[in-house]
Amino acid sequence: MDKLQITLTILLLIIEVAAFAWLIIDIQKSKKKQDKIIELEHQILQVESSIIELEQTIISKIDELIKSKEIE
């Protein structure tokens, strides 16, 4: 009976260590994915900033055209 308890305890310990290792690996994978998502979001923000700058330039040019038409 004692041997069975020791065997089951060792087996349970091995399962717990394997589960803990799996959790650590899963957390590392999730962190890598999260870092990639953050990097992509940063790139999107840069593109949006460029678009806003272009829109401001376009609006400025349109305003200049309107003013030049009013003067004529």
Side-chain angles (χ1 to χ4, degrees), residues 21-36:
W22 178 80
L23 283 173
I24 290 172
I25 291 169
D26 192 46
I27 287 170
Q28 288 175 339
K29 287 180 182 178
S30 295
K31 177 70 173 140
K32 288 179 184 176
K33 289 179 183 177
Q34 183 182 22
D35 290 344
K36 184 65 177 175

Side-chain angles (χ1 to χ4, degrees), residues 6-33:
I6 291 173
T7 303
L8 290 175
T9 303
I10 291 172
L11 182 62
L12 182 60
L13 181 62
I14 291 170
I15 291 171
E16 287 178 355
V17 168
F20 190 68
W22 178 80
L23 283 173
I24 290 172
I25 291 169
D26 192 46
I27 287 170
Q28 288 175 339
K29 287 180 182 178
S30 295
K31 177 70 173 140
K32 288 179 184 176
K33 289 179 183 177

Side-chain angles (χ1 to χ4, degrees), residues 2-68:
D2 287 337
K3 266 189 163 182
L4 179 61
Q5 285 180 340
I6 291 173
T7 303
L8 290 175
T9 303
I10 291 172
L11 182 62
L12 182 60
L13 181 62
I14 291 170
I15 291 171
E16 287 178 355
V17 168
F20 190 68
W22 178 80
L23 283 173
I24 290 172
I25 291 169
D26 192 46
I27 287 170
Q28 288 175 339
K29 287 180 182 178
S30 295
K31 177 70 173 140
K32 288 179 184 176
K33 289 179 183 177
Q34 183 182 22
D35 290 344
K36 184 65 177 175
I37 289 170
I38 290 171
E39 179 186 334
L40 290 172
E41 287 178 345
H42 183 70
Q43 290 175 1
I44 289 170
L45 287 174
Q46 287 177 334
V47 169
E48 288 177 344
S49 176
S50 296
I51 290 171
I52 289 171
E53 287 177 17
L54 288 171
E55 288 175 339
Q56 288 174 342
T57 303
I58 291 170
I59 289 171
S60 166
K61 297 295 180 183
I62 289 173
D63 284 345
E64 288 175 17
L65 281 172
I66 290 172
K67 286 179 183 178
S68 72

